Amino acid sequence: MRTLKIYDDLESYLKTIHPDVTELIYDCDDPIPSWQALATAFPNVTQVRFSDMGHIGITRLINHDFFDAFPRLHGLFIGNNRRSPITTDLSDVNPAHLTELRQLELGRCRTGDFDLFGNLPKLESLTVLADDKQVRLHTGPDCVLTKVCMAFGPRVRAIDIDLASSPVVELALGHNNRHYPTEAKKVVIDRLALPNHLHTLLLNLNTQTPLPARLLGDNQKLDKLEMRLAVPGFSADTLSDLSEVGKIHFLMEGKTAPLSAGFFAGLRQVDELEIRFEDTPIEGPLLPANMSLRQLTYFNASGHLSDTDALVLPDLDVACMFGLKADQLGWLAHSPMLQRLSLYLDKHPLTDLPSLPNLKHLVLRGTEMAQLPATVRSNPNLETLALLWFRIGELGDLSAMTGLKELWLSPVQDKQSNLPPLAGLSQLPQLEELRLDIELKRFDPDWLKLAPGARLMVRAERFEALFDILRASHLDNATVHQYLDQLIAVQKPAQLPAMPADFHLVMMEAKHNRFKAQHKAWLRSVAQDSEQQRPFGADSVLFVCGRSAFKASELKAQAETVGFTLSKTLNDSVTHVLVGTAPKAVAKLDPERHALIDDTTLQQCFTAEAPKFLQQETSNVMTDSVMAMLNSPDEASHKVAAQMLEQGGVTEPMLMPLFLILKTTADNELRKQIRNLLAGHGDDAFQLAVNDRILFHTCRGPDRLGREQSQGSMVKKLKGQRRKWGDALCNDFAKAYYDRFGEGLMYLMMQRDTCPHREAILDTLVEGECLNWHRGAGFGPVLERADEKKRTDLHWHPQYCFNRNADLGSAVTYIPEGMAQRHDIRELNLSVCLLDNLPKGSAQFTGLRRLNLSFNAFEKLPASLANFAELEELDLSYNHFSAFPAVLLKLKNLKRLDLRRATRVDYTEGYNRHYRKLAVPQAFRDALPHCEILEDA
C-alpha cells in the first residue's frame, strides 16, 4: 500500500489500474474524464487530497458523483487554493456513501445544509467553508464528531447551529476573516447551541442579533476560549457556568454597548486573560475579587474601566494595561507577586506607583512625570525599565536601583532635547544596555558614565560601533567626547573631517573598515611628511606595527642591503614605525617622536636604493617575457611569473596585469602572493583597490542555476567601485578585463562622460574604416557558440539572454563625440548591441556606407536614419519590426538590404509556418529597383 502524487499527465495514470494505491495526492489541472474513471484506476483509495484539479466536463466541482465513485473513502482533504478554489456541492449526496468517512476538509461549499455530516457513524473531524445564505448543522445521536471548524463565506446571512448533544471538544465557528470580523457581512443567529464538553472554542462573529443567553451551556472548564465579536449585545450569563480556563482572548471592535456587570463573575481560575476592546464601557467590577489569574492584558478607551479598586488579583504575575488613568493604579498593591508591568496612561501625569517588591520589568507609556516614582527608584530587583513616549523632568536618584540591567528611553517626538539628564548613569553598576530612541543631534558626555562593557543603542548603528571602539580605547573621556561629537554629523565616509593621528590609529587597531580609505589616505600623507622631514635610509631603526605586505625574510634581506636596523620592540632607539594592517598597541606610538611610514615608503626606498634585476634598465628581454606570461590566459603562467617577480621586482607596466589576475583568480594563495607583490606600488586609490575584498572571479561561467552568465554582473560590480577606485583605475581595469575575456567594455561604452582616457580606449574599436561597436559590446561570442534554439531565444528577447537581471540597466551606449573627426568611418557595426534605437553619437558619421543592426530589438527606425544619405548596405535581420520602415524609401543609394527574420519570433513556435515575415512594399521595390533585398523565403 502506498501514496501516489499526481502533478501532470493524468491520462497515463488512467490507462492502468493501481490496486496498491491507498492515498492519492492530486495537484494536476488536466481535465478529468469522470470521477468514475478516476475511481476505476484507483479502486482501493481510502484517502484523497486535492490541491488543484481540472474540469470534469464543463464543471470544476466535487459533487455527488465523486462520493458515488468513492463510497469507501476514509479521508477527503481539499486545499484552500485562493487563486483557483475548488468548490463542493453536497446536493443529492447519498449519506450511505459517507459512512466510512473519518476526516473531511472541504474548501468552499455552496450548499448550506450540513445535517448529513451530523449523524455519520465514523466522522470525527469536519472542516468546511460554508458559503450559502442559510447555514445549518444539527447533530444526531450517532454523531462522533470531536472537531468542527466551520468558517462562513461572504454569502452567509443566517446560521442555525445545534451541537448541544454532540461530543465535539474542539470548535471553531465564524467568519473566514479571522482578525477583523467587522469586515464580514452581518448574520442572523437563528440558533446557536454549543457542545457541553468543549476543550477549545473559537467564535469569530459579526451578527445582527445578540448572542444567546447561557451560550456556553454546561461547560465549566476550557483550555482555550477565543471570542472575536461584533455583536449588538450579550447578557451577563453569556459565559454560563464557566469557571476555569487556560487562555481567554476576547476582542470587540468599534463602539459597542457596555459589557454587562458580572460578565466574568463566574471565573475562578484563568492562566492568561487578554481583553482587547476599542470603545466598550465596563459596568461594575471587571473581574471577581481574589480570582486566580497569572497574566492580564487589557486594552480599551481611556476611562471605560471605572471600578479599578475592585481588582484584587493576588496571583498576578504579568499585567499589560492600556486605557487607565494615573489615579487608577491603587489596585496594583493587591498584586505583590507582579513581575512584569506595562502601563499606557495616555498623557496622564504619574506621581506615584504602589510598591511592587518583586517587579523586574516595568514599561511606562505616554505619561508625564516630574521624576520617576520613589517606589520605582527604590526597587533593587528591577532589571528592565522602559519609558516610552514620555515627558519627564529628571530621573531622580537611581542609586538604589542596583539590579537594573536595561534602560530604554523613547521621548515624545523622538527629540533628544526631551531626554532627561542622564548624570545618574554612574549610579547603575549592573546596567548592560542603554537604548535611546532619538534623532541623534549631539553626543552627551553623560553616556560615557555607563558601566564598563555596557552597550549604547541608538538608531545609528554605525555610531554605536564608533562609541564602543573609542570608549574602550586608551583615549581620555574628553577626547572621546570631542571625536564622537564630530562623528554624529558624518553620514558617509567621505564626510569624515580631518582627524588627529590617535583617531586613525585607534580605528585601525579595532579593524573598523568604515573609514578604511580615509585611514589609508591619512597614513600616506603622514608617511610623505615623514619622508621629507626624516627620510628612511641606512641609519634608520624600523619597528613593524601591524601586518605588512613585506615578508619578514624580505625585510631582513633589505635591511642588510640598504643598511637599516629592524627592532622587535618599540624602544627609544626606533626612528621609524611601519604602520601596517591592524596595528597593535597603538597607545605606545608617538607621531612626534616616531616617523610613521607605510609599505609604499619602503617600496620606494628599496627600489631606489637596491633595485631588483627586473627593475633595472638592462632587463628588457626578461621583462617582456614576464609580461607575456602575465597577459596569458593560462593561470600556470601567472604563477611562474609571480615567482619570478618575487626575485626580480615589479615594474610600472606590470601593475595592471597583476591587478587583473588578483581580482579574477579563484586561487587564494595566488591572490595573497600578488597582493604582496603590489604592496607599495601605485597611488592611494590603487593600494585601496589592491587590499579590498572586491573580486570578479564569480562573474564568469555558469550561475547557480547552470545558466551562462553575461558581463552584466561584472559591469554592475565595477560600477559600484567607481567612487572608491576612481575613474582611471576602473576604466583601465575594464579594458584589461576586455582584453583578457572579450567582454566588460560595456562599462565604458555606457558612460555619458567624455574624457581623453575613455576616448583613447574606445578608439581601439576602430578597424580601418569600420567602427566595430559590436566587438566592444562583447556579446558576439555567445551568438557564435549558440545552437539554433539558443539563436532563436536571442532573437526573441536579447535583453533577457544578455541582461537577464538588468545588471546593465537599459544598456544604452554612447559613442564619443569627435570620433568622426579623428577617424574616417564608413562602416558602423552595431550587431548584437542590445539596441532598440541608434546609440547616442552615431549621427556624427554622415558618410556611412555600411550599417549592421542585426540581432537587436528594433521595432522601428528613427527618421534621422535618412541623414545617412550615402548608405549602400543595411542589415536589419533578426529584429522586432512589425512593419516595413518607411524611412528606407529615403535612402536612395541603398544597394543591399537584409530583412531576413526581421520580425520578432514566437518563443514557443520558432520559425515555423506561423512565423510572420516582414513584407516589402512594392513602392520600395519600384523606387530602388537596383537594391538587392535579402528576405525570408
Side-chain angles (χ1 to χ4, degrees):
M1 298 304 171
R2 66 186 180 96
T3 298
L4 177 66
K5 300 178 181 180
I6 298 180
Y7 296 110
D8 53 23
D9 196 16
L10 173 64
E11 185 178 356
S12 65
Y13 288 103
L14 297 182
K15 290 180 180 178
T16 58
I17 296 177
H18 309 270
D20 58 331
V21 175
T22 56
E23 181 181 8
L24 183 63
I25 299 176
Y26 197 95
D27 190 4
C28 174
D29 60 1
D30 291 355
I32 302 174
S34 68
W35 289 123
Q36 189 56 53
L38 191 66
T40 300
F42 301 97
N44 295 319
V45 162
T46 59
Q47 189 161 287
V48 180
R49 295 180 181 273
F50 285 101
S51 295
D52 198 1
M53 61 176 278
H55 285 75
I56 306 170
I58 61 172
T59 65
R60 191 171 179 274
L61 196 65
I62 302 288
N63 59 7
H64 64 90
D65 290 335
F66 173 85
F67 293 103
D68 292 344
F70 295 94
R72 295 192 300 275
L73 212 58
H74 293 178
L76 173 61
F77 306 88
I78 302 176
N80 187 16
N81 188 334
R82 294 188 178 184
R83 180 179 58 84
S84 183
I86 300 172
T87 301
T88 303
D89 188 342
L90 300 176
S91 302
D92 302 323
V93 172
N94 186 350
H97 294 159
L98 307 178
T99 55
E100 297 298 321
L101 275 176
R102 274 80 163 172
Q103 291 179 279
L104 186 60
E105 292 185 10
L106 303 179
R108 176 179 176 271
C109 187
R110 67 187 189 188
T111 308
D113 191 343
F114 297 95
D115 281 357
L116 75 165
F117 297 134
N119 208 31
L120 294 178
K122 297 182 180 180
L123 185 63
E124 298 177 352
S125 176
L126 172 64
T127 300
V128 62
L129 171 58
D131 199 17
D132 196 9
K133 289 185 178 180
Q134 302 286 331
V135 174
R136 174 187 168 93
L137 174 60
H138 287 205
T139 56
D142 295 330
C143 176
V144 295
L145 280 169
T146 59
K147 177 181 177 181
V148 174
C149 180
M150 178 175 284
F152 300 149
R155 298 178 61 204
V156 176
R157 296 294 179 271
I159 60 174
D160 183 357
I161 309 293
D162 188 351
L163 306 177
S165 62
S166 73
V168 172
V169 296
E170 184 176 345
L171 175 62
L173 193 66
H175 291 92
N176 196 31
N177 190 329
R178 173 179 173 85
H179 297 291
Y180 303 103
T182 55
E183 294 183 2
K185 297 292 184 181
K186 291 183 178 294
V187 300
V188 174
I189 300 177
D190 292 332
R191 186 183 319 183
L192 181 56
L194 302 184
N196 291 317
H197 305 285
L198 282 170
H199 295 167
T200 301
L201 174 62
L202 167 61
L203 294 179
N204 192 33
L205 297 174
N206 182 11
T207 70
Q208 298 182 31
T209 52
L211 292 179
R214 292 190 55 80
L215 176 66
L216 266 68
D218 295 333
N219 286 286
Q220 297 183 9
K221 181 178 180 179
L222 290 178
D223 294 332
K224 183 178 180 179
L225 171 61
E226 188 169 327
M227 297 191 294
R228 300 172 181 270
L229 305 175
V231 297
F234 32 73
S235 62
D237 62 351
T238 299
L239 299 184
S240 308
D241 300 327
L242 189 65
S243 62
E244 185 176 341
V245 187
K247 297 180 181 180
I248 298 179
H249 185 178
F250 190 15
L251 181 148
M252 293 275 287
E253 289 193 351
K255 187 173 184 178
T256 71
L259 187 71
S260 302
F263 184 85
F264 293 113
L267 295 176
R268 293 293 177 265
Q269 181 176 336
V270 178
D271 188 40
E272 298 179 18
L273 173 59
E274 182 175 354
I275 300 172
R276 290 184 178 269
F277 298 159
E278 290 184 357
D279 193 354
T280 301
I282 309 296
E283 294 181 345
L286 175 65
L287 300 172
N290 295 310
M291 170 184 171
S292 178
L293 176 64
R294 190 185 64 82
Q295 182 171 326
L296 172 62
T297 301
Y298 172 84
F299 286 76
N300 204 349
S302 179
H304 280 348
L305 181 59
S306 56
D307 194 0
T308 56
D309 291 338
L311 288 173
V312 181
L313 305 170
D315 298 331
L316 195 63
D317 181 62
V318 179
C320 181
M321 309 295 290
F322 280 63
L324 299 186
K325 297 180 180 179
D327 58 359
Q328 292 183 300
L329 304 178
W331 64 274
L332 292 170
H334 302 303
S335 303
M337 306 303 294
L338 198 64
Q339 295 190 43
R340 290 179 176 270
L341 176 62
S342 180
L343 298 173
Y344 179 60
L345 301 176
D346 195 17
K347 301 180 182 179
H348 295 292
L350 177 64
T351 58
D352 194 16
L353 194 68
S355 177
L356 299 168
N358 292 302
L359 191 65
K360 293 183 178 180
H361 307 277
L362 175 62
V363 180
L364 299 176
R365 292 178 171 89
T367 185
E368 298 181 0
M369 296 176 283
Q371 62 177 358
L372 278 176
T375 52
V376 175
R377 290 185 283 112
S378 62
N379 187 342
N381 296 319
L382 195 66
E383 297 178 359
T384 301
L385 173 62
L387 304 180
L388 311 180
W389 316 310
F390 68 92
R391 294 182 187 274
I392 187 171
E394 61 176 354
L395 294 178
D397 182 6
L398 308 180
S399 58
M401 302 179 71
T402 54
L404 193 65
K405 296 179 180 179
E406 297 180 20
L407 178 59
W408 177 11
L409 303 177
S410 180
V412 172
Q413 298 177 339
D414 296 342
K415 289 185 177 180
Q416 186 172 357
S417 58
N418 288 334
L419 279 176
L422 296 177
L425 292 177
S426 60
Q427 301 173 339
L428 302 173
Q430 300 299 319
L431 194 65
E432 299 174 356
E433 180 178 294
L434 172 62
R435 175 176 171 179
L436 304 174
D437 288 355
I438 57 174
E439 294 181 7
L440 199 57
K441 298 296 184 182
R442 59 179 177 81
F443 182 78
D444 188 340
D446 286 337
W447 300 345
L448 293 173
K449 298 177 181 178
L450 285 170
R455 182 184 178 191
L456 173 67
M457 293 182 62
V458 291
R459 288 180 176 173
E461 292 183 6
R462 292 172 176 172
F463 182 82
E464 294 175 10
L466 295 171
F467 174 82
D468 292 339
I469 292 171
L470 292 172
R471 184 165 173 256
S473 71
H474 66 282
L475 303 176
D476 59 69
N477 282 354
T479 303
V480 172
H481 177 200
Q482 175 189 346
Y483 292 168
L484 290 173
D485 226 13
Q486 290 177 277
L487 292 170
I488 284 176
V490 176
Q491 301 299 318
K492 300 178 181 179
Q495 297 174 342
L496 183 71
M499 302 293 285
D502 52 9
F503 170 79
H504 291 285
L505 290 171
V506 166
M507 290 293 129
M508 293 171 69
E509 182 178 25
K511 303 178 184 179
H512 184 70
N513 291 326
R514 185 185 180 202
F515 302 116
K516 185 176 182 179
Q518 287 69 30
H519 301 326
K520 285 189 172 293
W522 163 81
L523 182 57
R524 183 84 282 274
S525 175
V526 170
Q528 289 173 340
D529 292 341
S530 297
E531 186 62 17
Q532 291 179 1
Q533 299 172 13
R534 287 176 282 182
F536 181 81
D539 298 328
S540 301
V541 179
L542 179 66
F543 173 74
V544 180
C545 184
R547 295 194 302 270
S548 169
F550 292 100
K551 296 180 180 179
S553 58
E554 185 175 1
L555 286 175
K556 289 180 180 179
Q558 291 288 355
E560 294 178 2
T561 303
V562 178
F564 65 89
T565 303
L566 280 171
S567 175
K568 293 184 178 181
T569 59
L570 187 62
N571 52 43
D572 293 340
S573 65
V574 171
T575 61
H576 290 75
V577 176
L578 173 61
V579 181
T581 305
K584 297 181 179 179
V586 297
K588 298 179 181 180
L589 297 182
D590 183 0
E592 298 295 328
R593 185 160 59 95
H594 305 123
L596 304 184
I597 62 174
D598 58 3
D599 286 335
T600 301
T601 302
L602 284 187
Q603 183 64 54
Q604 292 170 350
C605 174
F606 298 161
T607 303
E609 296 292 333
K612 296 182 178 181
F613 66 87
L614 287 177
Q615 297 169 336
Q616 299 173 6
E617 296 180 0
T618 58
S619 62
N620 292 339
V621 175
M622 183 69 75
T623 300
D624 292 343
S625 175
V626 173
M627 285 293 292
M629 286 190 283
L630 293 177
N631 290 322
S632 166
D634 179 29
E635 189 163 282
S637 298
H638 301 162
K639 294 179 179 180
V640 173
Q643 292 175 354
M644 295 178 65
L645 293 176
E646 286 182 334
Q647 303 299 321
V650 176
T651 62
E652 182 71 22
M654 300 175 184
L655 298 185
M656 183 48 64
L658 284 169
F659 184 72
L660 177 68
I661 298 170
L662 171 69
K663 294 299 181 180
T664 57
T665 182
D667 189 322
N668 288 329
E669 290 300 319
L670 181 57
R671 276 203 297 265
K672 183 177 179 181
Q673 190 176 15
I674 293 177
R675 191 173 285 114
N676 290 335
L677 288 172
L678 292 175
H681 290 282
D683 58 14
D684 296 343
F686 184 74
Q687 280 301 308
L688 178 65
V690 166
N691 290 287
D692 67 22
R693 299 181 181 180
I694 304 302
L695 301 173
F696 292 81
H697 66 282
T698 59
C699 296
R700 294 180 51 76
D703 62 12
R704 58 185 178 86
L705 298 178
R707 302 173 300 190
E708 184 177 7
Q709 294 190 86
S710 66
Q711 61 187 299
S713 59
M714 174 269 174
V715 172
K716 182 179 180 180
K717 183 174 286 190
L718 187 57
K719 287 173 67 177
Q721 305 312 307
R722 191 173 181 182
R723 288 188 177 182
K724 295 180 181 178
W725 291 8
D727 285 335
L729 181 56
C730 287
N731 291 348
D732 285 339
F733 180 80
K735 179 61 166 62
Y737 191 96
Y738 170 76
D739 291 341
R740 174 69 54 81
F741 303 112
E743 62 182 21
L745 209 62
M746 283 290 285
Y747 171 80
L748 282 161
M749 296 166 65
M750 293 191 303
Q751 290 182 20
R752 291 173 178 265
D753 302 334
T754 58
C755 66
H757 191 197
R758 175 177 180 263
E759 291 176 357
I761 294 175
L762 295 182
D763 277 354
T764 62
L765 299 177
V766 177
E767 303 168 351
E769 293 183 340
C770 175
L771 173 57
N772 197 345
W773 210 243
H774 159 80
R775 177 165 62 86
F779 303 116
V782 178
L783 182 62
E784 292 170 4
R785 297 191 301 267
D787 56 18
E788 185 61 25
K789 176 62 171 65
K790 182 68 172 179
R791 288 174 66 88
T792 302
D793 293 346
L794 294 174
H795 182 194
W796 164 69
H797 203 322
Q799 283 278 355
Y800 175 78
C801 296
F802 291 124
N803 191 20
R804 183 178 290 112
N805 298 318
D807 289 336
L808 296 173
S810 58
V812 175
T813 56
Y814 301 85
I815 300 175
E817 294 293 340
M819 186 172 279
Q821 283 70 46
R822 297 192 299 276
H823 307 278
D824 184 17
I825 302 297
R826 299 294 179 179
E827 179 180 350
L828 182 56
N829 187 353
L830 298 175
S831 175
V832 203
C833 287
L834 297 182
L835 300 174
D836 58 11
N837 204 345
L838 293 177
K840 306 290 184 180
S842 58
Q844 62 184 298
F845 306 118
T846 55
L848 276 185
R849 293 177 181 172
R850 294 173 296 281
L851 178 60
N852 187 349
L853 299 177
S854 63
F855 267 106
N856 283 296
F858 283 92
E859 297 179 356
K860 59 183 180 179
L861 291 176
S864 61
L865 192 72
N867 296 331
F868 300 137
E870 300 179 25
L871 199 63
E872 297 177 354
E873 297 181 13
L874 178 61
D875 190 345
L876 299 178
S877 61
Y878 293 93
N879 271 283
H880 295 172
F881 293 103
S882 57
F884 185 83
V887 69
L888 298 183
L889 289 164
K890 299 181 180 181
L891 301 177
K892 302 301 182 182
N893 290 314
L894 203 59
K895 298 178 181 179
R896 193 172 191 271
L897 176 63
D898 194 340
L899 294 176
R900 289 172 294 183
R901 296 183 174 177
T903 63
R904 189 173 190 179
V905 66
D906 184 88
Y907 177 72
T908 56
E909 297 189 359
Y911 304 106
N912 61 15
R913 60 188 178 86
H914 298 293
Y915 177 67
R916 187 179 58 81
K917 306 163 187 175
L918 189 63
V920 181
Q922 189 61 41
F924 179 82
R925 299 180 190 273
D926 295 341
L928 287 84
H930 301 295
C931 179
E932 177 188 5
I933 303 175
L934 304 179
E935 52 188 327
D936 296 311

